Amino acid sequence: MTESDMEWRMEFTPHERCVGLVRRQVRRTLTGWGCGEDDVDTAVLVCSELATNAVRYAYVPHQNFEVRVGVTGKECLVEVSDVSDTPPRAVAPGVDAEHGRGLLLVAALAESVGHHERTPVGKTVWARLLLNGPVS
């Protein structure tokens, strides 16, 4: 997806409390666009997991991360960009681990996932979701 019929983007400070703001903003945006409730829930969860990773693993003081959501037809593209050059890496967490399942969850929910370098620095992690419900 290169162009979106609808696009939203916002920068956030790299603090864990901002992940809740990401969830609220994405929910408000997709609901306003007429996306179905199940699709909104899935996109919010994916954004939350990717934003959490940006805060937890790509933290650089005073460097914001950006969330972008675009909808074209029946596809939703979620992108989270940060200033770290380190590519995302899914791990196999232990049974009792409290963290480490985010990328596995994103991969299970998305049609496709990936990452690419970001100019001038950093990376963008993306997930393409198929929408089931109506978009007005």
Side-chain angles (χ1 to χ4, degrees):
M1 181 181 339
T2 57
E3 292 185 31
S4 296
D5 295 332
M6 295 170 275
E7 182 179 308
W8 169 87
R9 70 177 65 218
M10 187 174 204
E11 286 192 9
F12 297 89
T13 58
H15 193 280
E16 287 188 12
R17 70 175 171 252
C18 286
V19 176
L21 180 58
V22 168
R23 288 191 293 268
R24 288 188 299 277
Q25 293 292 97
V26 170
R27 180 171 301 283
R28 181 178 301 127
T29 299
L30 292 175
T31 300
W33 290 347
C35 293
E37 187 175 342
D38 289 344
D39 292 330
V40 171
D41 289 344
T42 299
V44 166
L45 180 55
V46 167
C47 284
S48 179
E49 293 298 333
L50 296 181
T52 297
N53 284 352
V55 169
R56 190 169 284 154
Y57 303 113
Y59 175 79
V60 175
H62 312 295
Q63 295 294 317
N64 293 342
F65 68 96
E66 180 183 80
V67 177
R68 179 189 169 276
V69 177
V71 172
T72 300
K74 290 289 193 176
E75 290 186 359
C76 177
L77 181 65
V78 171
E79 297 178 316
V80 176
S81 301
D82 59 55
V83 296
S84 172
D85 293 331
T86 304
R89 184 175 58 94
V91 296
V95 175
D96 295 332
E98 294 183 18
H99 304 289
R101 293 175 180 82
L103 290 175
L104 298 172
L105 180 59
V106 169
L109 294 171
E111 182 70 15
S112 56
V113 295
H115 69 280
H116 56 81
E117 291 181 12
R118 182 177 188 215
T119 303
V121 297
K123 68 177 172 307
T124 297
V125 182
W126 58 267
R128 187 172 59 90
L129 309 170
L130 296 182
L131 302 176
N132 298 307
V135 178
S136 57

